[in-house]
């Protein structure tokens, strides 16, 4: 099997994967970049107009609203999902009876189709028929029955909570794998030196989970910037007056509802670039903090 270690052999074995990656990942991105520079309705010939679509984006108030809502979802997800998934992983790392069943149940929300996630949470968050508002009303707390979705203010926060519920099991599994990679000898040695559980957490566990944290943060960033089906199925539909749009739903409405394919691809391009920029900024800052 020595031939498997040769670079030339490895290169040829990667060719099928690279072809698929180029055809279904790289090429669609490049095509989107091209159409973002055109005026195109999806039918006929695209008319090249340069950066006009991006200039229009700069003056589009609805685009800035969708960007603001997306950033709110991102902040809510980072604040809730990252520490929540880590704490859940710590609990799953403790040996208990039926531990494997608990881990499977924990992972279940992440394998539910986003469409079903949206439908489930509609029956919880809907202002008229949602479980939360019904319970509040029955308890005589009707003044706290708010427009959790479809309103002007709370929708992006609710989307962040739904995204957290959907992804927490998946990220906790990644954290759990990272915890399993930490040698037990390190904890035993620190215990012999007098370190307690809190000191072990902040001096051993968290520092040694740095790479795992990086992976999860990047997954949260990319997940938030591409969130679509859940938002659409929450029946917000961008309302009222597109004030609850996120970037991908706004791109979808512009492209397939308004028929402005070129402008929609400009929004998609900016979404892709923002995802890349946020991920690179985080990776750079985390690398500098380690070096210091």
């Amino acid at each position: 099997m020595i031939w498997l270690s040769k670079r030339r052999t490895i290169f040829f074995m990667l060719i099928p994967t690279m072809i698929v990656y180029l055809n279904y990942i790289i090429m669609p991105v490049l095509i989107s970049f091209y159409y973002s520079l055109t005026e195109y309705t999806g039918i006929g010939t695209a008319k090249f107009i340069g950066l006009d679509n991006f200039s229009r984006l700069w003056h589009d108030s609805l685009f800035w609203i969708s960007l603001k809502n997306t950033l709110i979802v991102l902040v809510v997800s980072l604040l809730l999902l990252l520490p929540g998934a880590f704490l859940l992983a710590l609990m799953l790392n403790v040996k208990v009876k039926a531990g494997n069943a608990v881990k499977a149940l924990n992972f279940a929300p992440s394998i539910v189709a986003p469409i079903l996630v949206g439908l489930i949470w509609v029956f919880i968050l809907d202002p008229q028929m949602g479980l939360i508002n019904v319970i509040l009303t029955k308890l005589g707390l009707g003044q706290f029955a708010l427009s959790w979705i479809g309103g002007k203010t709370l929708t992006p926060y609710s989307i962040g909570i739904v995204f957290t519920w959907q992804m927490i099991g998946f990220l906790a599994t990644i954290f759990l794998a990272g915890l399993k990679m930490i040698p037990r000898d390190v904890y035993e040695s620190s215990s012999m030196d007098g370190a307690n559980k809190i000191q072990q957490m902040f001096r051993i566990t968290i520092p040694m989970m740095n790479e795992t944290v990086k992976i999860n943060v990047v997954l949260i960033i990319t997940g938030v910037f591409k969130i679509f089906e859940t938002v659409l199925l929450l029946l917000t539909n961008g309302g009222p007056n597109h004030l609850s749009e996120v970037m991908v739903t706004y791109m979808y409405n512009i492209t397939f509802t308004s028929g402005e394919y070129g402008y929609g691809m400009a929004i998609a391009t900016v979404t892709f670039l923002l995802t890349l920029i946020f991920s690179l900024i985080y990776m750079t800052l985390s690398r500098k903090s380690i070096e210091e």
Side-chain angles (χ1 to χ4, degrees), residues 81-97:
L81 186 49
L82 196 65
F86 182 66
L87 292 174
L88 181 57
L90 290 175
M91 290 187 287
L92 292 173
N93 198 34
V94 178
K95 292 183 179 180
V96 295
K97 292 183 178 180

Side-chain angles (χ1 to χ4, degrees), residues 53-115:
N53 284 328
F54 296 95
S55 176
R56 177 182 169 186
L57 268 180
W58 184 260
H59 299 93
D60 186 351
S61 60
L62 294 179
F63 167 75
W64 291 106
I65 290 172
S66 69
L67 175 58
K68 181 196 72 173
N69 290 337
T70 303
L71 293 178
I72 290 174
V73 176
L74 178 61
V75 171
V76 171
S77 299
L78 286 172
L79 291 177
L80 296 180
L81 186 49
L82 196 65
F86 182 66
L87 292 174
L88 181 57
L90 290 175
M91 290 187 287
L92 292 173
N93 198 34
V94 178
K95 292 183 179 180
V96 295
K97 292 183 178 180
N100 290 333
V102 173
K103 292 174 185 177
L105 290 173
N106 154 75
F107 194 76
S110 62
I111 61 175
V112 175
I115 292 176

Side-chain angles (χ1 to χ4, degrees), residues 107-279:
F107 194 76
S110 62
I111 61 175
V112 175
I115 292 176
L116 295 179
V117 172
L119 287 174
I120 291 169
W121 280 90
V122 162
F123 291 103
I124 298 174
L125 298 174
D126 187 87
Q128 279 74 45
M129 65 175 183
L131 180 64
I132 292 178
N133 282 356
V134 169
I135 292 176
L136 289 173
T137 303
K138 294 291 185 181
L139 293 175
L141 300 173
Q143 66 272 25
F144 297 106
L146 305 175
S147 297
W148 306 106
I149 55 175
K152 296 180 180 180
T153 306
L154 295 178
T155 298
Y157 298 95
S158 298
I159 293 170
I161 292 171
V162 173
F163 182 74
T164 297
W165 177 84
Q166 183 183 9
M167 292 295 294
I168 192 168
F170 178 68
L171 298 189
T173 303
I174 297 175
F175 273 129
L176 182 60
L179 290 172
K180 297 291 186 184
M181 295 297 292
I182 301 176
R184 296 294 96 189
D185 297 343
V186 179
Y187 291 106
E188 293 174 2
S189 299
S190 64
S191 296
M192 293 175 64
D193 291 335
N196 56 38
K197 295 294 184 182
I198 300 299
Q199 290 173 327
Q200 288 178 341
M201 174 67 66
F202 289 97
R203 298 295 180 87
I204 298 174
T205 305
I206 294 177
M208 295 189 74
M209 292 283 286
N210 179 64
E211 293 300 320
T212 308
V213 172
K214 282 184 184 179
I215 292 171
N216 279 344
V217 170
V218 172
L219 286 174
I220 292 172
I221 293 172
T222 55
V224 167
F225 273 97
K226 69 180 183 179
I227 189 170
F228 172 67
E229 300 99 322
T230 301
V231 178
L232 204 65
L233 267 295
L234 279 173
L235 302 182
T236 63
N237 199 29
N241 299 321
H242 299 280
L243 294 179
S244 61
E245 294 274 19
V246 294
M247 293 184 72
V248 178
T249 59
Y250 186 52
M251 180 271 293
Y252 173 83
N253 286 327
I254 289 293
T255 305
F256 299 105
T257 303
S258 301
E260 299 181 76
Y261 194 89
Y263 189 48
M265 290 304 98
I267 300 172
T269 298
V270 172
T271 303
F272 170 78
L273 292 176
L274 285 174
T275 305
L276 185 62
I277 289 169
F278 274 94
S279 299

